[in-house]
Amino acid sequence: MEENKTFTISVYSENNVGLLNRISGIFLKRHINILSLNVSESEIENVSRFIIVVSTSTKWVQNIVGQIEKQIEVIKAFYHLDEETIFLENAIFKIGSHLLFDERQIQNIIKESNSEIVTVSREFFVISKSGRRSEIEELYEKLKPFGIMQFARSGRISISKEKMEISTLLEELKS
């Protein structure tokens, strides 16, 4: 049996209500957990891009992409292994302000992790970090002993290393 791998699925679609529900249903039926999900505008006007991260076999990801492409609003879906993409996640951490001044180590953690302080108030300050999930988790573990008031992490955003022929495909559809 083939070992599971991490795949990033990119779905280009019209932005229609209910599509996300149908796409997530495709994963639900196959008992495949979505590890990360991000939906945003794409490089093409009036076209949305879903970025879905899953751990499964090549056979299953091919099957899933085929099912996703059967949705009327879907223009095209692609899948890539991690080494075929450039990807990041973003995270923000809310920490008590007194620590910024009382704990010298906090400033070192921020500097060493290539994070940045995005806001400071009397009660709290907010740190922003972009990077791989492992880098964000490492920062989380370093900040945890000091007390994290709030934490939020985005889903993966990614671009493929190789050219995806979505723009060419859309041009052909227009003609």
Side-chain angles (χ1 to χ4, degrees):
M1 193 169 139
E2 186 190 346
E3 188 180 314
N4 283 359
K5 298 175 196 156
T6 301
F7 290 96
T8 300
I9 300 171
S10 297
V11 180
Y12 287 85
S13 73
E14 297 171 21
N15 192 5
N16 287 7
V17 174
L19 180 59
L20 176 59
N21 197 24
R22 289 195 308 273
I23 287 175
S24 63
I26 291 168
F27 293 92
L28 180 65
K29 280 184 220 160
R30 287 161 184 76
H31 301 282
I32 295 173
N33 189 35
I34 294 174
L35 303 174
S36 172
L37 171 66
N38 186 70
V39 183
S40 67
E41 298 170 340
S42 74
E43 64 276 19
I44 304 149
E45 196 174 336
N46 299 318
V47 174
S48 294
R49 182 172 178 200
F50 292 71
I51 299 172
I52 306 163
V53 180
V54 295
S55 177
T56 191
S57 68
T58 303
K59 178 184 169 231
W60 276 108
V61 81
Q62 289 169 340
N63 185 295
I64 287 165
V65 166
Q67 289 297 307
I68 290 171
E69 285 189 329
K70 288 180 182 175
Q71 302 299 312
I72 292 169
E73 307 89 338
V74 172
I75 299 161
K76 186 73 180 151
F78 303 88
Y79 66 90
H80 295 95
L81 291 165
D82 283 358
E83 55 269 17
E84 299 171 322
T85 64
I86 298 160
F87 59 92
L88 292 172
E89 292 183 7
N90 295 301
I92 51 177
F93 301 81
K94 182 178 172 183
I95 312 281
S97 278
H98 67 283
L99 293 167
L100 188 58
F101 307 105
D102 300 345
E103 291 287 343
R104 184 86 186 123
Q105 197 178 348
I106 290 268
Q107 291 177 31
N108 292 337
I109 291 169
I110 293 166
K111 191 175 177 180
E112 290 166 9
S113 67
N114 293 317
S115 304
E116 63 179 322
I117 297 172
V118 292
T119 190
V120 178
S121 77
R122 200 168 285 179
E123 295 83 32
F124 64 86
F125 68 102
V126 176
I127 300 168
S128 171
K129 169 71 181 155
S130 285
R132 297 200 173 233
R133 180 167 284 217
S134 59
E135 295 170 319
I136 291 168
E137 287 171 348
E138 184 181 328
L139 178 58
Y140 183 93
E141 290 305 316
K142 286 181 178 176
L143 293 173
K144 194 175 172 182
F146 298 100
I148 298 170
M149 297 166 76
Q150 288 184 40
F151 168 74
R153 180 175 54 217
S154 72
R156 176 182 288 192
I157 54 173
S158 77
I159 53 176
S160 65
K161 290 180 180 176
E162 289 191 17
K163 184 178 178 185
M164 282 199 286
E165 297 297 331
I166 187 69
S167 299
T168 309
L169 181 72
L170 285 171
E171 288 303 317
E172 289 170 8
L173 290 174
K174 285 180 186 174
S175 346

